[in-house]
Amino acid sequence: MPDLLIELFSEEIPARMQPKAREDLKKLITDGVVEAGLTYASAGAFSTPRRLTLTVEGLTANSPTLREERKGPRTDAPEKAIEGFLRSTGLTMDQLETRDDKKGQVYFAVIEKPGRPATEIVAEVLEKTIRNFPWPKSMRWGEGALRWVRPLHSILAILSDEAGATIVPLDVDGITAGDATRGHRFMAPDTIQVGGFESYAKQLKAAKVMLDPAEREAAIWHDAEQMAFAKGWEVVPDKGLLAEVAGLVEWPVTLMGEIDAQFLDLPPEVLQTSMKEHQKFFSVKNPKTGRIEGFVTVANRETADHGATILAGNQKVLSARLSDAKFFWENDLRTVAAHGLEGMGAGLDAVTFHNKLGSQGDRIRRIEALAREIAPLVKASPDLAAEAARVAKSDLRSEMVYEFPELQGVMGRYYAQKAGLRDAVADACRDHYAPLGPSDDVPTEPVSVAVALADKIDTLTGFWAIDEKPTGSKDPFALRRAALGVIRLVLGNDLRVCLSDLIENGFEQHRQPVLEAERKRTFIAILNDFERGQEVSSEIAEFIGSSGEAHVENINSAISLQPAIKERHIRNAAEAIAEIYVSQRSGIEWRSVFVPARDNLLSFFHDRLKVHLRDAGIRHDVIDAVLAMPGSDDLTLVVKRAEALSETLKTDDGENLIQGFKRANNILTQAEEKDGVEYSFGADPKFAETEEEKALFAALDAAEAKIAPAMEAEDFAAAMSAMAALRGPIDAFFEAVQINAEAEVIRRNRLNLLSRIRQICLDVADLTKIEG
């Protein structure tokens, strides 16, 4: 069985595209050859900035010969039916076989597809892969039509076995496949003849190309740590940067430098961000001072001066970058010193958040109002929470955040500290964005939690209010992330909050400015009509009805007496009418628009909660069973119930109880449908005929006595345990008792007993939602 080696050699591939490109190459080639009838033992994909490589071991040399028999129409079938069968098989009449069938004689087609050599199959699959490769961005070059991420220079494609290597016959727009590659662009640019993957990897290593990206990452990190250790320093871990840098070099040469003393007082996050984003440098911390004092850069070649010239050039560029950062930092500090942090953020009224949701300033005022309401729920000071909300986004107007948007919040904390604000307020400036991702820490300081919840509730209710919800895979405003952030804040801090109330408060913040504007428009319209000698419009008068009839009459009767009527009486009546008119319209809008939006948003939270709990190992049907219970907008309560039910269902008693419950529920439901009555009360032990029936009555009494106080105390584990203990008596009852007894009194009593089983179980969780 031969081994396949493919290398697609090009100009530099962007580092961010390499991991997916490796997987795409592997999938497209292996799926293609398997579909064509070949098999293989294993496959591995690699990449460097200039090459994508795939090795496939144990590939079969030929696809098998396939024989297919296909039954056709009867021999006396219409001519057109036979012609259609011939077209579908690609055969002629003389190639068909006639066979006896139970309905008479029929035509059979025997189609043989001879096997094909692997070289032919690989050539087809590789050409298709190259021409249709799913690069996020691609380009054409020269006069060819081929598109690739960067100009493609050569294709290496060989099948090798004990007898040697065979080149796969392939030509893609003038690029002919061969058995050669090249080493490092600068240190070993000559052509290398290849005989198989093992020799390929060794020859590349000798030509200063480290093929495996994981090996490059390990080499970079090892050398960086050794250099830092020699100075008593530590490299700040950054897995994302490490993977990116490993994708920028074929032969990593690690170099370490020191940051100029004039920049050491900059916030460490500024140093790290500037070096990472602009230079792709790793930050190096001095543990004795806690400051970022050095950096690690990775070159792509060895030099006679051991990288001194490269390092000097990098330090020169870094100094220029950090000079800009220092300038921004000092300018921002002067702004804070002169105007305070609120003064820095004053310009946010002129910054649009969303054209339907107003400015950033509008948003800050909504968040402030929400934070003040949420504060008591999270044991925070309402005044501190409101103060933190007012300044939390002020750093969006800073020069530093304008240059480095990823530092929003981080810089806000520094500026708040420089402005002399309390630590709780400063921490909220930094933490109110959190958590942004599943690995982020959840804020626990009460003021931070209040502002973070307010920020996310405002975002969600705002976009729900304007009907900009996520659809399918599209979520341009990161609303799923915001909902998951609320869930993690609530659960991570064990908060007992009514999510429906938070949502309603959020909607109300968006409604009030609209209602106030409508109130003013109505008031002015009534006054204008009055000044023109017109009565209150019939539309308004009819809409407000008897509730505003007296006010309407006051204005309408005063038209002819206008000079003698005091203006304030007219204005008071107009204000009262406007208030009634807007209030009634508001009530209609709330019922028709905002209540459905609230319920839809709550459902969206539940969907996010299912994803969150599924990752924690709790089944979706378990979550559905507890969400159907009262209090489903208390997420902490929902999770406690779900965890208890999940643990119960892992036991034999719990799992078997579900079957007993479903049996009882099914029998009861069918009987109620048949009889047209509801069996929900009246089960009496005096009608019990068997010991098993009497035992079940006693077990249900005991379970009810335990479940009710346990549910009241939110001891769901005890309630679930009491419910699961019913498994034995219920099983015994069904084995010994016939529900549909001949005596109608006994039958009704037993059906009412089944109703008790159903109700006791449903008091704990809606077990009808449990699958299985």
Side-chain angles (χ1 to χ4, degrees):
M1 288 183 152
D3 296 332
L4 172 64
L5 174 62
I6 295 171
E7 180 200 75
L8 304 174
F9 186 85
S10 68
E11 295 295 329
E12 276 70 8
I13 305 168
R16 69 182 184 280
M17 297 185 187
Q18 291 175 30
K20 185 175 185 300
R22 291 195 297 268
E23 293 306 310
D24 286 339
L25 179 63
K26 179 179 175 181
K27 178 176 175 56
L28 290 169
I29 296 295
T30 55
D31 285 359
V33 297
V34 168
E35 187 177 341
L38 302 181
T39 62
Y40 66 97
S42 62
F46 308 90
S47 66
T48 77
R50 296 206 298 162
R51 66 199 82 220
L52 284 178
T53 299
L54 175 69
T55 175
V56 181
E57 297 181 347
L59 191 69
T60 46
N62 296 278
S63 62
T65 297
L66 300 178
R67 188 175 188 273
E68 177 189 2
E69 288 192 1
R70 193 181 302 176
K71 182 180 178 181
R74 291 172 48 178
T75 54
D76 58 353
E79 186 176 340
K80 288 190 178 295
I82 297 173
E83 289 176 356
F85 181 60
L86 290 173
R87 283 196 300 273
S88 69
T89 60
L91 301 181
T92 57
M93 278 296 296
D94 60 314
Q95 293 175 306
L96 297 181
E97 295 182 8
T98 302
R99 299 182 187 176
D100 291 330
D101 188 69
K102 59 185 178 181
K103 294 183 179 181
Q105 287 195 322
V106 297
Y107 288 118
F108 267 83
V110 179
I111 306 168
E112 286 197 2
K113 295 183 179 179
R116 301 165 63 202
T119 52
E120 184 180 325
I121 292 172
V122 169
E124 286 182 4
V125 172
L126 181 54
E127 180 173 4
K128 182 180 178 182
T129 297
I130 292 172
R131 292 191 182 280
N132 299 284
F133 202 82
W135 293 110
K137 291 183 178 180
S138 58
M139 61 181 294
R140 289 187 296 150
W141 62 96
E143 297 181 356
L146 179 65
R147 301 188 69 89
W148 200 246
V149 64
R150 295 291 185 271
L152 183 64
H153 290 317
S154 66
I155 301 170
L156 184 155
I158 57 173
L159 286 162
S160 58
D161 54 21
E162 297 82 358
T166 302
I167 297 173
V168 174
L170 175 66
D171 185 296
V172 181
D173 283 17
I175 305 173
T176 304
D179 60 355
T181 185
R182 292 182 178 274
H184 192 280
R185 182 188 290 274
F186 306 113
M187 294 186 288
D190 295 335
T191 300
I192 302 170
Q193 297 297 127
V194 177
F197 178 73
E198 187 175 343
S199 65
Y200 168 79
K202 287 180 180 178
Q203 288 172 281
L204 283 181
K205 183 69 72 69
K208 305 297 184 182
V209 174
M210 203 176 288
L211 180 64
D212 190 348
E215 184 183 0
R216 296 197 298 276
E217 287 185 28
I220 292 168
W221 192 248
H222 174 269
D223 291 350
E225 285 194 310
Q226 291 301 308
M227 289 178 175
F229 179 77
K231 289 182 69 71
W233 291 353
E234 300 172 347
V235 185
V236 178
D238 191 328
K239 292 183 179 179
L241 180 60
L242 180 60
E244 183 177 8
V245 171
L248 296 173
V249 295
E250 290 196 317
W251 189 255
V253 177
T254 307
L255 307 169
M256 190 171 75
E258 296 185 21
I259 297 172
D260 194 295
Q262 64 175 315
F263 305 121
L264 296 182
D265 290 332
L266 284 170
E269 294 89 349
V270 172
L271 292 171
Q272 287 178 250
T273 303
S274 181
M275 291 192 293
K276 174 181 177 178
E277 296 301 319
H278 293 308
Q279 306 300 121
K280 308 305 177 188
F281 290 173
F282 294 92
S283 297
V284 181
K285 179 186 291 186
N286 183 342
K288 295 178 182 177
T289 63
R291 300 186 306 190
I292 303 296
E293 297 185 5
F295 65 90
V296 167
T297 183
V298 181
N300 190 33
R301 62 179 299 176
E302 297 169 350
T303 60
D305 62 358
H306 304 290
T309 303
I310 295 174
L311 190 58
N314 278 313
Q315 285 189 291
K316 184 176 180 180
V317 175
L318 178 61
S319 292
R321 292 289 188 188
L322 295 184
S323 293
D324 290 343
K326 185 179 181 182
F327 175 79
F328 300 144
W329 169 246
E330 292 172 348
N331 266 5
D332 289 340
L333 292 184
R334 282 192 287 269
T335 300
V336 170
H339 306 288
L341 194 51
E342 277 196 66
M344 173 181 274
L348 290 174
D349 276 319
V351 178
T352 299
F353 169 64
H354 186 281
N355 63 346
K356 294 182 181 179
L357 296 174
S359 68
Q360 286 284 6
D362 295 329
R363 184 164 185 248
I364 288 168
R365 286 183 282 276
R366 294 195 299 266
I367 293 172
E368 178 186 352
L370 283 172
R372 188 178 286 280
E373 292 182 2
I374 292 170
L377 304 177
V378 300
K379 299 179 180 177
S381 161
D383 289 340
L384 269 185
E387 180 185 0
R390 284 196 301 274
V391 300
K393 298 190 182 294
S394 293
D395 64 345
L396 295 177
R397 293 287 292 170
S398 69
E399 293 185 35
M400 188 69 78
V401 171
Y402 184 83
E403 179 69 14
F404 300 112
E406 57 269 39
L407 290 180
Q408 59 186 324
V410 172
M411 298 312 302
R413 182 174 182 273
Y414 283 110
Y415 299 141
Q417 289 175 327
K418 294 293 183 181
L421 300 181
R422 281 169 282 194
D423 287 344
V425 174
D427 289 343
C429 291
R430 176 194 61 199
D431 296 336
H432 79 282
Y433 290 105
L436 288 173
S439 61
D440 281 4
D441 293 333
V442 175
T444 56
E445 205 284 324
V447 173
S448 296
V449 174
V451 181
L453 281 173
D455 178 64
K456 293 167 180 57
I457 291 294
D458 175 74
T459 297
L460 289 160
T461 54
F463 283 105
W464 249 255
I466 62 173
D467 200 26
E468 289 279 1
K469 305 166 192 171
T471 55
S473 61
K474 294 183 180 180
D475 186 11
F477 303 110
L479 301 180
R480 292 187 180 93
R481 186 176 69 188
L484 187 57
V486 171
I487 290 168
R488 292 189 62 204
L489 283 163
V490 170
L491 300 183
N493 290 283
D494 198 27
L495 299 179
R496 301 302 301 273
V497 297
C498 178
L499 198 54
S500 292
D501 289 346
L502 294 185
I503 293 171
E504 287 194 11
N505 289 340
F507 279 134
E508 197 61 27
Q509 297 304 320
H510 291 279
R511 293 179 71 230
Q512 283 307 318
V514 177
L515 295 179
E516 184 58 33
E518 178 69 14
R519 189 177 291 110
K520 287 181 180 178
R521 282 196 299 270
T522 305
F523 171 73
I524 292 171
I526 293 172
L527 287 186
N528 287 342
D529 285 348
F530 181 81
E531 290 175 359
R532 290 192 295 264
Q534 297 174 3
E535 296 185 344
V536 176
S537 77
S538 58
E539 179 185 344
I540 292 178
E542 183 179 349
F543 187 79
I544 63 177
S546 59
S547 59
E549 188 175 335
H551 301 295
V552 172
E553 179 59 27
N554 282 342
I555 294 178
N556 290 350
S557 62
I559 289 177
S560 60
L561 305 173
Q562 181 177 353
I565 300 297
K566 291 183 178 180
E567 182 182 350
R568 65 184 179 85
H569 290 161
I570 302 301
R571 296 182 69 87
N572 288 344
E575 285 178 353
I577 293 171
E579 177 64 34
I580 296 170
Y581 179 72
V582 171
S583 295
Q584 291 186 192
R585 287 193 59 180
S586 168
I588 294 170
E589 182 188 42
W590 179 258
R591 292 189 298 274
S592 63
V593 177
F594 287 98
V595 168
R598 177 201 62 193
D599 295 343
N600 184 269
L601 180 51
L602 184 61
S603 177
F604 181 74
F605 272 109
H606 287 162
D607 288 341
R608 294 301 95 203
L609 181 65
K610 290 178 186 179
V611 174
H612 180 71
L613 293 182
R614 185 180 62 204
D615 293 341
I618 298 179
R619 291 163 22 190
H620 70 90
D621 58 334
V622 170
I623 304 167
D624 287 335
V626 298
L627 285 177
M629 303 297 291
S632 63
D633 59 353
D634 182 341
L635 300 184
T636 300
L637 181 70
V638 167
V639 171
K640 286 181 178 178
R641 279 179 167 167
E643 289 173 344
L645 180 56
S646 181
E647 289 302 313
T648 299
L649 293 181
K650 291 176 183 177
T651 67
D652 288 341
D653 281 349
E655 189 63 37
N656 290 325
L657 173 67
I658 297 299
Q659 304 308 317
F661 164 80
K662 290 193 172 184
R663 185 175 179 184
N665 186 51
N666 289 339
I667 293 172
L668 186 59
T669 300
Q670 291 171 6
E672 288 177 335
E673 289 179 356
K674 177 183 176 183
D675 300 344
V677 297
E678 179 182 319
Y679 295 102
S680 58
F681 60 93
D684 193 329
K686 72 181 181 183
F687 295 111
E689 294 185 335
T690 69
E691 290 303 316
E692 292 82 0
E693 199 170 355
K694 295 173 184 177
L696 180 57
F697 270 105
L700 292 173
D701 290 340
E704 282 182 329
K706 292 178 181 178
I707 288 173
M711 292 295 288
E712 184 69 24
E714 296 184 1
D715 185 355
F716 300 117
M720 302 288 178
S721 177
M723 181 183 70
L726 291 171
R727 173 263 177 112
I730 290 175
D731 285 353
F733 171 77
F734 277 123
E735 288 179 9
V737 174
Q738 179 181 348
I739 305 298
N740 291 315
E742 292 184 6
E744 186 61 26
V745 172
I746 301 300
R747 175 178 177 271
R748 285 199 305 270
N749 197 59
R750 289 173 178 172
L751 289 171
N752 281 314
L753 185 58
L754 296 187
S755 179
R756 282 194 67 190
I757 295 173
R758 179 168 70 180
Q759 193 54 52
I760 287 173
C761 291
L762 291 179
D763 285 344
V764 178
D766 188 351
L767 300 187
T768 62
K769 305 289 186 182
I770 301 298
E771 297 176 353

